[in-house]
C-alpha cells in the first residue's frame, strides 16, 4: 500500500538547474570578475558531478586558467558557492523558478487522500525552503511530514543516505513509498534505499537512462509519453496513476533502457 510520496527538488519540483542555479553560477562568476560563463550544454556535462560546491571544485580543478593551489581552489569554490546560493534564492523570490506543471496538482491529490509527502534532497535546506515558500505559500510546511536536506544527509545522491533518513523520519518501509525523481543520481539513490521511483524527466536529463524506474515520462502535466502507458485517463499524472504504477511495479519488471520513454 502506498503511504508516502517522496519528492526530489532540483529538476523535479522545478527546473531549478536551468532557471535558477545555472543563471546564479554565471552571475556569481561575473560579480567575482571571473571570465567563465557556462552554457546549457556545458552545465549539462557538469551536472554529472553531484552537489553545487563539488561541481564548482571539479570545474576549477580542470580549468587551465584556475588556481594551481588546491587550498586556493577550495576557498574560491566555497566563496562562489555561497554567493551563488544567495543569488539563487533571489531568483526564486523574484518568481523566476516556478513549480513544474502538474507538481502542485499531484501534491493536492496527496493532501486530499491523506498520503504523506516528504522532501528528499541533497541541496541545502535554505534553497529548498525558499522554493517551497514562494511557490506554495507561507504555510508550505503543513504539506510535508519531513524535509531532508544536505544538512541532514551530507552524502550526495546517488548515495541512499537521504532516502534512508526520510524513511526513518516517516516510520515507513521502503516499499510503502514512491520517489519522484528526474535524474540518474536520484534514481540510483532511491533504488539503493529500496524505494520505487517514478521518473519525471527534466530539461537536463531528458534522455538519461531510467533503468529500474517503475515509470518514466516527460512530466506530470500530461499522460502522453509515459512508459508504462497510464491506465488513468485524467490527462495528467495524478495520485491514482502513481498508485497503479506502484501496484504494477511490485509484480512486474521495472522500466529499462535509455532515451525518452
Amino acid at each position: 500500500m502506498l503511504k508516502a510520496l517522496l519528492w526530489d527538488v532540483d529538476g523535479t519540483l522545478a527546473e531549478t538547474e536551468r532557471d535558477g542555479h545555472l543563471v546564479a553560477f554565471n552571475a556569481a562568476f561575473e560579480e567575482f570578475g571571473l571570465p567563465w560563463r557556462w552554457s546549457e550544454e556545458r552545465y549539462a556535462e557538469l551536472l554529472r558531478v553531484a552537489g553545487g560546491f563539488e561541481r564548482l571544485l571539479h570545474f576549477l580543478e580542470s580549468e587551465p586558467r584556475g588556481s594551481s593551489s588546491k587550498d586556493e581552489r577550495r576557498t574560491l569554490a566555497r566563496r562562489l558557492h555561497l554567493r551563488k546560493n544567495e543569488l539563487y534564492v533571489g531568483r526564486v523570490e523574484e518568481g523566476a523558478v516556478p513549480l513544474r506543471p502538474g507538481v502542485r496538482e499531484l501534491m493536492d491529490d496527496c493532501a486530499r487522500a491523506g498520503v504523506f509527502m516528504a522532501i528528499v534532497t541533497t541541496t541545502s535546506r535554505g534553497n529548498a525552503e525558499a522554493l517551497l515558500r514562494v511557490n506554495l505559500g507561507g504555510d508550505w510546511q503543513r504539506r510535508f511530514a519531513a524535509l531532508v536536506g544536505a544538512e541532514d544527509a551530507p552524502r550526495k545522491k546517488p548515495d541512499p543516505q537521504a532516502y534512508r533518513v526520510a524513511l526513518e523520519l516517516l516510520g515507513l518501509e521502503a516499499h510503502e513509498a514512491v520517489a519522484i525523481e528526474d535524474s540518474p543520481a536520484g534514481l540510483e539513490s532511491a533504488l539503493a534505499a529500496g524505494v520505487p521511483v517514478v521518473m519525471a524527466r527534466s530539461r537536463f536529463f531528458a534522455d538519461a537512462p531510467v533503468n529500474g524506474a517503475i515509470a518514466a515520462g516527460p512530466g506530470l502535466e500530461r499522460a502522453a509519453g509515459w512508459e508504462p502507458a497510464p491506465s488513468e485517463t485524467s490527462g495528467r499524472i495524478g495520485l491514482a496513476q502513481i498508485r497503479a504504477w506502484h501496484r504494477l511495479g511490485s509484480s512486474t519488471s521495472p522500466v529499462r533502457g535509455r532515451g525518452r520513454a
Side-chain angles (χ1 to χ4, degrees):
M1 179 180 176
L2 178 61
K3 296 183 179 180
L5 241 54
L6 311 181
W7 292 90
D8 171 55
V9 172
D10 288 325
T12 301
L13 289 185
E15 288 284 3
T16 54
E17 300 292 4
R18 179 194 65 192
D19 300 334
H21 294 297
L22 174 57
V23 178
F25 271 123
N26 284 334
F29 293 152
E30 184 174 4
E31 282 191 11
F32 277 61
L34 297 168
W36 309 309
R37 301 295 183 271
W38 290 342
S39 65
E40 285 197 13
E41 292 73 20
R42 179 62 173 135
Y43 194 60
E45 295 171 354
L46 291 168
L47 281 173
R48 297 170 187 167
V49 179
F53 169 74
E54 293 81 1
R55 194 170 304 135
L56 265 173
L57 193 57
H58 170 80
F59 172 76
L60 293 176
E61 288 171 346
S62 61
E63 171 54 48
R65 292 173 292 178
S67 171
S68 59
S69 164
K70 180 178 179 179
D71 288 342
E72 288 179 355
R73 288 195 300 268
R74 291 188 69 85
T75 297
L76 178 57
R78 291 209 177 279
R79 290 177 61 211
L80 281 167
H81 189 239
L82 178 63
R83 182 56 180 149
K84 185 275 297 183
N85 280 344
E86 292 171 347
L87 291 165
Y88 169 82
V89 170
R91 283 190 60 77
V92 169
E93 291 179 342
E94 291 169 1
V97 191
L99 297 180
R100 290 179 64 184
V103 167
R104 182 159 191 156
E105 290 83 353
L106 179 53
M107 288 183 173
D108 290 343
D109 288 349
C110 290
R112 286 190 292 269
V115 172
F116 294 128
M117 292 193 298
I119 298 297
V120 185
T121 181
T122 48
T123 195
S124 70
R125 291 179 68 94
N127 283 353
E129 288 172 353
L131 183 73
L132 294 164
R133 182 183 69 254
V134 169
N135 284 287
L136 295 176
D139 63 346
W140 66 268
Q141 290 172 304
R142 296 176 57 187
R143 287 179 173 262
F144 302 97
L147 190 160
V148 177
E151 296 83 352
D152 312 291
R155 296 200 295 273
K156 304 291 185 184
K157 296 175 183 179
D159 190 284
Q161 183 183 39
Y163 278 103
R164 288 174 176 164
V165 170
L167 291 170
E168 183 175 355
L169 289 172
L170 295 172
L172 297 178
E173 298 295 327
H175 65 86
E176 295 176 313
V178 164
I180 311 295
E181 280 281 356
D182 76 300
S183 71
L187 172 65
E188 185 177 342
S189 173
L191 292 180
V195 179
V197 181
V198 168
M199 289 285 282
R201 297 175 180 280
S202 62
R203 166 67 178 82
F204 287 114
F205 297 106
D207 298 302
V210 295
N211 291 347
I214 59 172
L220 298 171
E221 75 278 17
R222 61 183 184 274
W226 281 83
E227 180 188 348
S231 56
E232 298 293 320
T233 58
S234 65
R236 65 175 176 88
I237 303 303
L239 180 59
Q241 183 57 60
I242 301 291
R243 281 174 160 160
W245 279 328
H246 182 250
R247 291 191 298 269
L248 185 66
S250 65
S251 59
T252 63
S253 299
V255 176
R256 299 288 176 187
R258 179 182 297 270
R260 295 181 186 273

